[in-house]
């Protein structure tokens, strides 16, 4: 099977089907774009895949060693523990903690802090703390944030906060990373730099990344495959070349018939 397989996924809010019979597959180590107009259901899909919402129907299965694991009904923290991380359309950080502390929380979550060694402050505890600080700093350096590790998160400029959120997600050592409009509100230069960085970490960390992004040129340039959502349905999926000449996509985006 694929790394993640979604079948007939549906989420109703009252009378509105925000996500309707969506089928989607993610392979290991690929960069997938998710596009579609405002209200198409992109964020809702992320919320379903990360356990924020429980689907009305359909299945979500993650490849494990032997049997596929159903993610339906699992808590967000459990899903994170299976190696699925995300960022939010509206930045979510521990605003009053420092940059470094924000990343350390991600690392702690993935290591599962050992209660015995932290309680009794064993040598192992101090060694692993030291290791985590080192790892956190390496991740921050990738995103040019290492000189700001003592800043309180809320005092960072906007673009830095967006990048810190990605660092925090990466610190959990995910297999799959969902990025919800990471470049929103950035200027064109910041946005271009961030895109390059996403491509680089996807390669270096051998990650599967799903990127929600409004700038079509970005999506077309960096994504290997693209899903197009409209009114909660998959309107089209394929390579950038296939999406570019898809009649349904052209109609939806150019508004013609
Ligand atoms: N918690 C919710 N309750 C009710 N309606 C919601 C909720 N979340 C999203 N929706 C609706 O679902 C639709 C899809 O929203 P969303 O997934 O945020 O779209 P996108 O991210 O593609 O802009 C919208 O019509 C939105 O109003
Ligand atoms: Mg959204």
């Amino acid at each position: 099977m694929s790394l993640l397989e979604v079948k007939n996924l549906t989420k109703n809010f009252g009378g509105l089907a925000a996500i309707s019979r969506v089928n989607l597959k993610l392979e290991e180590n690929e960069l997938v774009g998710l596009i579609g107009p405002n209200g198409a259901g992109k964020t809702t899909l992320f919320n379903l895949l990360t356990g924020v919402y429980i689907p009305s129907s359909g299945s979500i299965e993650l490849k494990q060693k032997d049997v596929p694991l159903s993610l339906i009904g699992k808590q967000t923290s459990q899903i994170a523990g299976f190696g699925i991380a995300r960022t939010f359309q509206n930045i979510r950080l521990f605003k009053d903690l420092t940059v470094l502390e924000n990343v350390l929380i991600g690392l702690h979550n993935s290591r599962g802090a050992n209660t015995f060694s932290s309680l009794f402050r064993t040598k192992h505890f101090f060694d692993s703390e030291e290791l985590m600080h080192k790892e956190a700093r390496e991740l921050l350096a990738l995103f040019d944030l290492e000189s700001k590790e003592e800043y309180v998160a809320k005092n960072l400029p906007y673009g830095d906060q967006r990048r810190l959120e990605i660092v925090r997600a990466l610190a959990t050592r995910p297999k799959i990373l969902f990025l919800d409009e990471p470049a929103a509100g950035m200027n064109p230069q910041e946005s271009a730099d961030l895109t390059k960085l996403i491509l680089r970490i996807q390669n270096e960390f051998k990650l599967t990344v799903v990127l929600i992004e409004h700038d079509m040129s970005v999506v077309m340039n960096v994504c290997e495959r693209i899903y197009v959502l409209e009114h909660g349905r998959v309107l089209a999926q394929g390579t950038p070349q296939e999406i570019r000449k898809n009649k349904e996509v052209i109609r939806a985006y150019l508004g013609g018939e």
Side-chain angles (χ1 to χ4, degrees):
M1 74 174 281
S2 304
L3 179 58
L4 190 84
E5 291 194 10
V6 172
K7 286 186 194 142
N8 281 322
L9 198 66
T10 296
K11 178 66 183 177
N12 301 313
F13 291 115
L16 171 85
I19 286 292
S20 182
R21 304 185 74 82
V22 163
N23 294 309
L24 172 140
K25 283 184 182 181
L26 300 177
E27 307 298 336
E28 270 164 49
N29 194 16
E30 65 171 348
L31 180 46
V32 174
L34 179 60
I35 62 174
N38 267 334
K42 303 180 297 295
T43 298
T44 302
L45 181 58
F46 276 15
N47 284 333
L48 291 168
L49 299 180
T50 55
V52 175
Y53 295 149
I54 298 171
S56 304
S57 59
S59 66
I60 308 169
E61 291 189 325
L62 181 69
K63 187 166 106 180
Q64 294 289 80
K65 275 178 222 105
D66 11 276
V67 280
L69 176 74
S70 170
L71 299 187
I72 306 287
K74 297 279 193 291
Q75 303 286 324
T76 52
S77 57
Q78 287 177 293
I79 292 177
F82 300 142
I84 297 178
R86 73 172 299 178
T87 63
F88 291 86
Q89 192 168 347
N90 306 308
I91 300 173
R92 290 196 197 173
L93 290 167
F94 297 100
K95 293 195 298 279
D96 296 313
L97 297 185
T98 67
V99 167
L100 184 65
E101 284 163 344
N102 267 277
V103 184
L104 286 173
I105 286 171
L107 285 167
H108 270 281
N109 288 345
S110 71
R111 297 305 179 282
N114 178 330
T115 318
F116 177 84
S117 63
S118 56
L119 219 59
F120 295 97
R121 308 264 149 163
T122 60
K123 175 164 185 318
H124 171 76
F125 171 79
F126 287 110
D127 285 351
S128 66
E129 284 296 291
E130 207 171 293
L131 211 67
M132 281 193 202
H133 276 78
K134 186 166 168 276
E135 228 176 304
R137 292 196 172 103
E138 279 168 11
L139 283 172
L140 286 169
L142 272 176
F143 286 75
D144 273 333
L145 287 167
E146 77 273 33
S147 62
K148 296 180 179 167
E149 66 170 54
E150 291 304 326
Y151 283 44
V152 174
K154 67 182 174 197
N155 297 333
L156 286 179
Y158 177 81
D160 285 351
Q161 290 194 25
R162 288 228 86 112
R163 284 181 298 130
L164 177 57
E165 211 197 356
I166 301 177
V167 176
R168 205 191 58 188
L170 273 177
T172 66
R173 295 280 165 198
K175 288 189 285 225
I176 306 177
L177 177 59
F178 293 113
L179 300 174
D180 197 347
E181 301 194 29
M186 290 186 170
N187 68 42
Q189 185 58 50
E190 283 177 319
S191 164
D193 290 346
L194 182 66
T195 308
K196 270 190 226 138
L197 202 51
I198 289 169
L199 198 56
R200 190 178 141 205
I201 56 167
Q202 187 264 330
N203 270 307
E204 268 178 38
F205 291 74
K206 303 258 178 290
L207 280 180
T208 296
V209 175
V210 183
L211 174 66
I212 298 177
E213 166 62 58
H214 278 294
D215 187 334
M216 284 291 259
S217 65
V218 167
V219 177
M220 291 291 173
N221 276 325
V222 304
C223 296
E224 297 157 78
R225 287 196 303 128
I226 296 169
Y227 281 87
V228 186
L229 277 187
E230 192 192 37
H231 302 308
R233 293 167 190 273
V234 176
L235 183 70
Q237 67 103 5
T239 63
Q241 295 91 314
E242 288 165 342
I243 294 300
R244 200 175 274 128
K245 59 186 186 214
N246 182 295
K247 291 205 170 62
E248 289 289 297
V249 177
I250 295 169
R251 174 192 57 75
Y253 272 87
L254 304 179
E257 276 306 311

